[in-house]
Amino acid sequence: MKHLWVYAVALVAGLSACCAKEEKVAPVDLSGLQEIRIDFERGGWVFVEEHFTVKPSGKPGMFLLRGGYETEGGQQVDVEKPILSRDVAEFVRQASLPRWTRHRGLQVVAQDIDKHALRTFEPIMRVPPSPCTEDELQQLAKRYFGRTKLLALIDRHYGRGISWTDDYPHMLVQMRWQGRPTSVLWSNSQKARMLPWNLGIPMNSLPEADQNWSSPLSASLRALLPPDSRAYQRLDGVTGLTQRLNRDALYEAERQCEAARPRPDANSGSSR
């Protein structure tokens, strides 16, 4: 009986500690928030332009999202929908937290990748055909993943700045407050979750120490947007990252195959 009593006390203490930790998250004061403006553009092969505002609706606990965008299927949408204050508060809270370092941010991205999908390869049409079979190439690609840490692969993928030339995204977020300066966040990142984020007026280059690699910041902003908008889709992007990592592994496999089995005419010169 004594053991049961001790267990009950420990359980209550544990629950109290848990709840105490949750209570440490200070409530966010939204009383002075006049507007959150979200502008997203993408240049390249396909031009995209979306604009949204989030404003107090006048009803307790609610904000109102308004905006216009075109879906991937080409449908023009004008949106006006209520948003819970708690979702707005979560974004404001994430935007005000200390910046995440690159290492911390990429660790979270690595944790969120579907490890099974990472090693599921789609056949690629190769011209000219590879000296190796598709199965051999996939085995080489899997070995590539096995000997290279995922975090290192993701870090290489994010690189520094623009990595491909058919995609120029830009997202600008402005929080306008009564009696306070406007808070500005922006990103030109092509990569998953549009990481990293920058504070202040957009500029061409920014010290890495001033960048914010917070996935929760991207997720909280995404929660304010319509699911079929391009901005919403862009603020995830982990599936696309996984596909790119798979393609990179297959390219590395092809390189190894070419080195091990050069084509007959690869190094041959003309003979008479």
Side-chain angles (χ1 to χ4, degrees), residues 110-131:
Q111 291 167 4
D112 291 344
I113 283 183
D114 183 339
K115 305 306 185 294
H116 175 71
L118 188 64
R119 288 169 171 80
T120 302
F121 304 102
E122 296 181 0
I124 298 175
M125 178 68 70
R126 296 175 176 85
V127 179
S130 171

Side-chain angles (χ1 to χ4, degrees), residues 90-100 199 212 214 216-217:
E90 178 60 14
F91 170 68
V92 172
R93 187 178 76 84
Q94 291 295 339
S96 65
L97 291 175
R99 299 181 183 94
W100 281 28
L199 301 178
N212 189 348
S214 169
L217 175 57

Side-chain angles (χ1 to χ4, degrees), residues 181-203:
T182 298
S183 305
V184 180
L185 290 170
W186 61 275
S187 173
N188 292 335
S189 175
Q190 299 171 317
K191 312 305 179 354
R193 295 174 180 168
M194 294 200 74
L195 299 176
W197 292 96
N198 306 289
L199 301 178
I201 303 301
M203 58 182 65

Side-chain angles (χ1 to χ4, degrees), residues 78-152:
D78 293 317
V79 63
E80 182 172 320
K81 60 176 288 189
I83 294 181
L84 294 175
S85 294
R86 69 184 183 195
D87 291 335
V88 177
E90 178 60 14
F91 170 68
V92 172
R93 187 178 76 84
Q94 291 295 339
S96 65
L97 291 175
R99 299 181 183 94
W100 281 28
T101 63
R102 178 186 179 106
H103 181 74
R104 181 184 180 188
L106 297 189
Q107 276 187 317
V108 171
V109 172
Q111 291 167 4
D112 291 344
I113 283 183
D114 183 339
K115 305 306 185 294
H116 175 71
L118 188 64
R119 288 169 171 80
T120 302
F121 304 102
E122 296 181 0
I124 298 175
M125 178 68 70
R126 296 175 176 85
V127 179
S130 171
C132 295
T133 67
E134 190 66 34
D135 287 343
E136 288 173 328
L137 289 172
Q138 292 193 14
Q139 287 303 317
L140 287 171
K142 289 177 181 178
R143 290 176 194 169
Y144 173 72
F145 281 131
R147 68 175 179 271
T148 309
K149 290 185 177 179
L150 178 57
L151 185 59

Side-chain angles (χ1 to χ4, degrees), residues 5-19:
W5 181 82
V6 171
Y7 174 78
V9 171
L11 180 61
V12 171
L15 290 172
S16 299
C18 168
C19 296

Side-chain angles (χ1 to χ4, degrees), residues 204-254:
N204 290 331
S205 60
L206 202 68
E208 189 167 310
D210 293 336
Q211 295 176 340
N212 189 348
W213 290 80
S214 169
S215 278
L217 175 57
S218 297
S220 63
L221 176 58
R222 188 172 184 248
L224 305 180
L225 296 169
D228 56 348
S229 67
R230 308 292 185 90
Y232 178 94
Q233 296 163 10
R234 198 72 190 224
L235 287 168
D236 183 19
V238 173
T239 299
L241 167 60
T242 305
Q243 293 169 348
R244 283 189 176 272
L245 292 177
N246 279 337
R247 287 199 295 267
D248 290 345
L250 282 175
Y251 292 147
E252 177 62 21
E254 288 187 46

Side-chain angles (χ1 to χ4, degrees), residues 27-33 92 177 180:
V28 177
D29 182 9
L30 299 177
S31 60
L33 181 61
V92 172
W177 299 86
R180 290 168 51 185

